[in-house]
C-alpha cells in the first residue's frame, strides 16, 4: 500500500455495467450520494460496450432487459440489438444523474479488508480510496477466455475474441474460422457468412437452437407504450410470466423439454436438408441442459455452400492454418475466438482480499464457489457480489437477478444505518447451510440429468452458476436483509 492520500466514500462499486450502474441509480434514488463507481474501460456499458461483433444482440426480450424503474418505450424490436442496449444504458445513466460518480479508465488493482479500520482499502489506476462498503459488479462476462490450443500464438493472420472484435479487419472474401458455437457464434456466423470467401465453424458440441419469435415494434406500439400509463408494465409482466413457465420443464419436470425439442428438431430438418450436416448439428443431450440459443438465421447460414461445420476438434494452429484432430489442415486468413468467458475463475477474484488475508480466488479454490444467497461471502465483511455463484438465470433476464440483489444491498445499507452497525459479515454456518439446501434443488433438474457438460457446473462437479427455481422466489428471498444471519459490530 502507498502513502497516497485516500478519498473515502460510503460505498465503492466496481464495474459500470448493468449491475454496478443499477446499484448506483438505486442509491441515488434513496438520497445516498456518497458513492463512486470504478470502471476500468473508457466508457460505461459492460457487456454491451465490449461486444460489438456483427449481429450482436440480446436473446432476452427487450421488455425484460431493462430496469423496472426505467422502462424504455423506444425499443424498436422485441429483441434489441447491441447499439440500442448500449444507448439505453447511456441515456438511463444521464436521466438518473449518476454519471458524475463514475470514474472511467480507473481499474481496481487491489481491494483488501482493513480489520483495524473496519473498511475496504482500494488501490486503483487513479489513486487510492477507502470505503465502508464495497460492491463487486465486475460481471461474469467481463474477461474473455482464450482457448488452450497448441500453436495458437504462432498464427500470423488476424485473430481476436468475439468480445474484442477488430473492426479494422475486413473479412470480405477471406477464409475465416469461427471457434465455438455458443451465444455469440450463432449471431456472428450468419452475419459474416455471405461476405467471407470461406467460413469454417469449429463445433465442440451442437447447441440447441430455437426459433427467434420476435417482431419489430410499430410506431403506434411505441406511442402506446410512451403515452398510456401502465401499458409497458403490463407488457413486461406478460413476457415475465411466459419466461417463468420455462422453469416447469427445466427444473420441475424435465421430460416436458422433449416437447420443445421435437419442434426444434423439426425446424432443423426443414432448414437443413443435407443429412450429413444435419447429423453434425443435432444435439445429443436434453434441451435446456446447456444454454438455449435462439436464431432464425444460424441454420440457413450453415447450409450455405461456402460454410463448413468441423466437428473433429482442433489439434493445433499453425502460421496460416488450423489442423483438426483427424489430421486435416485447413488454411485460414482470420480466426474468430467465440470461446466464452472466465466465468467460474474471474480475474477480479484475485484482487479482493478478505478478513483473514485470503483472496476471493483462494477462498473459492479451497471451499468451492460458495456464496450466501448469491450475494455475500463469509470472511468478506461489508462486501456484496453481483451476479455471483448461483445467481444466474437460464430462462429469463439477468436484469431481474440484478434488481433482486440491489434490493438486498440497499436494504442492508439502510439496516446498517438504522441499527448503527459498522460491519456485517455472513456467518460461515449460515452460508454452508444455505448452499447445502440449494444444491439439493438441482436433483432431477435438466441441468443435472440432461447428459451434458456446461459452464453451469464447475470443475468440482458442483452447480455453481444457476438459481434452480422460479425467479420470483429469488426476488422474495432477497427482498429484505436478514441481519440475523450475520455477525455484526456496532459503530463506536
Amino acid at each position: 500500500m502507498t502513502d497516497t492520500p485516500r478519498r473515502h466514500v460510503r460505498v465503492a462499486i466496481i464495474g459500470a455495467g448493468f449491475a454496478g450502474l443499477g446499484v448506483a441509480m438505486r442509491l441515488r434514488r434513496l438520497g445516498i450520494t456518497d458513492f463512486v463507481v470504478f470502471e476500468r474501460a473508457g466508457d460505461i456499458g459492460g457487456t454491451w460496450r465490449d461486444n460489438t461483433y456483427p449481429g450482436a444482440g440480446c436473446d432476452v426480450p427487450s421488455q425484460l432487459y431493462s430496469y423496472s424503474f426505467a422502462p424504455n418505450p423506444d425499443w424498436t424490436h422485441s429483441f434489441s440489438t447491441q447499439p440500442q442496449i448500449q444507448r439505453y444504458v447511456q441515456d438511463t445513466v444521464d436521466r438518473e444523474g449518476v454519471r458524475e460518480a463514475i470514474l472511467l479508465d480507473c481499474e481496481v488493482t487491489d481491494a483488501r479488508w482493513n480489520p483495524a479500520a473496519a473498511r475496504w482499502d482500494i488501490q486503483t489506476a487513479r489513486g487510492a480510496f477507502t470505503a465502508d462498503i464495497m460492491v463487486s459488479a465486475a460481471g461474469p462476462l467481463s474477461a474473455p477466455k482464450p482457448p488452450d490450443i497448441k500453436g495458437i500464438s504462432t498464427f500470423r493472420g488476424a485473430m481476436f475474441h468475439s468480445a474484442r472484435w477488430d473492426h479494422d479487419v475486413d473479412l470480405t472474401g477471406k477464409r475465416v474460422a469461427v471457434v465455438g458455437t455458443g451465444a455469440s457464434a450463432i449471431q456472428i456466423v450468419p452475419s459474416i457468412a455471405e461476405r467471407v470467401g470461406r467460413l469454417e465453424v469449429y463445433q465442440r458440441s451442437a447447441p440447441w437452437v430455437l426459433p427467434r419469435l420476435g417482431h419489430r415494434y410499430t410506431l403506434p406500439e411505441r406511442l402506446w407504450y410512451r403515452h398510456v400509463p401502465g401499458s409497458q408494465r403490463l407488457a413486461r409482466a406478460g413476457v415475465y410470466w411466459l419466461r417463468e413457465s420455462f422453469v416447469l420443464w427445466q427444473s420441475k419436470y424435465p421430460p416436458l423439454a422433449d416437447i420443445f425439442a421435437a419442434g426444434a428438431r423439426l425446424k432443423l430438418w426443414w432448414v437443413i436438408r443435407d443429412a450429413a450436416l444435419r447429423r453434425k448439428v443435432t444435439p445429443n443431450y436434453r434441451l435446456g441442459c446447456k444454454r438455449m440459443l435462439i436464431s432464425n438465421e444460424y441454420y440457413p447460414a450453415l447450409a450455405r455452400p461456402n460454410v463448413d461445420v468441423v466437428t473433429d476438434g482442433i489439434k493445433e494452429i499453425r502460421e496460416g492454418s488450423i489442423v483438426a484432430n483427424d489430421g486435416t489442415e485447413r488454411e485460414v486468413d482470420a480466426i474468430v475466438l467465440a470461446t466464452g468467458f472466465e466465468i467460474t475463475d474471474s480475474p477480479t477474484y484475485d484482487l479482493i482480499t478478505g478478513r483473514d488475508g485470503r483472496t476471493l480466488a483462494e477462498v473459492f479454490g479451497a471451499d468451492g464457489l460458495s456464496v450466501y444467497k448469491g450475494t455475500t461471502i463469509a470472511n468478506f465483511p461489508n462486501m456484496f457480489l453481483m451476479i455471483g455463484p448461483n445467481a444466474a438465470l437460464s430462462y429469463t433476464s439477468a436484469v431481474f437477478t440484478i434488481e433482486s440483489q440491489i434490493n438486498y444491498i440497499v436494504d442492508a445499507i439502510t439496516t446498517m444505518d438504522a441499527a448503527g452497525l459498522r460491519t456485517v459479515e455472513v456467518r460461515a454456518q449460515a452460508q454452508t447451510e444455505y448452499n447445502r439446501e440449494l444444491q439439493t434443488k438441482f436433483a432431477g433438474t435438466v441441468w443435472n440429468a440432461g447428459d451434458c457438460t456446461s459452464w453451469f457446473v464447475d470443475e468440482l462437479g458442483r452447480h455453481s452458476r444457476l438459481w434452480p427455481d422460479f425467479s420470483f422466489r429469488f426476488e422474495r428471498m432477497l427482498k429484505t436483509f436478514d441481519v440475523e444471519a450475520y455477525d455484526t459490530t456496532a459503530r463506536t
Side-chain angles (χ1 to χ4, degrees), residues 79-95:
F79 289 94
S80 299
T81 61
Q82 177 270 334
Q84 279 203 324
I85 297 173
Q86 178 67 351
R87 186 162 58 249
Y88 166 76
V89 172
Q90 297 277 4
D91 293 345
T92 305
V93 162
D94 289 332
R95 284 197 306 270

Side-chain angles (χ1 to χ4, degrees), residues 89-107:
V89 172
Q90 297 277 4
D91 293 345
T92 305
V93 162
D94 289 332
R95 284 197 306 270
E96 296 293 324
V98 297
R99 191 174 289 273
E100 66 275 7
I102 303 169
L103 296 182
L104 301 176
D105 297 311
C106 187
E107 182 175 6

Side-chain angles (χ1 to χ4, degrees), residues 476-489:
R476 185 183 305 159
M477 180 179 69
L478 293 176
K479 191 170 186 178
T480 58
F481 181 68
D482 49 339
V483 68
E484 63 276 5
Y486 290 75
D487 288 325
T488 64
T489 62

Side-chain angles (χ1 to χ4, degrees), residues 4 66 93 96 157 192 248 264 316 333 457 475:
T4 304
S66 49
V93 162
E96 296 293 324
I192 66 173
L248 296 176
E316 67 174 309
D333 302 308
V457 181
E475 179 190 41

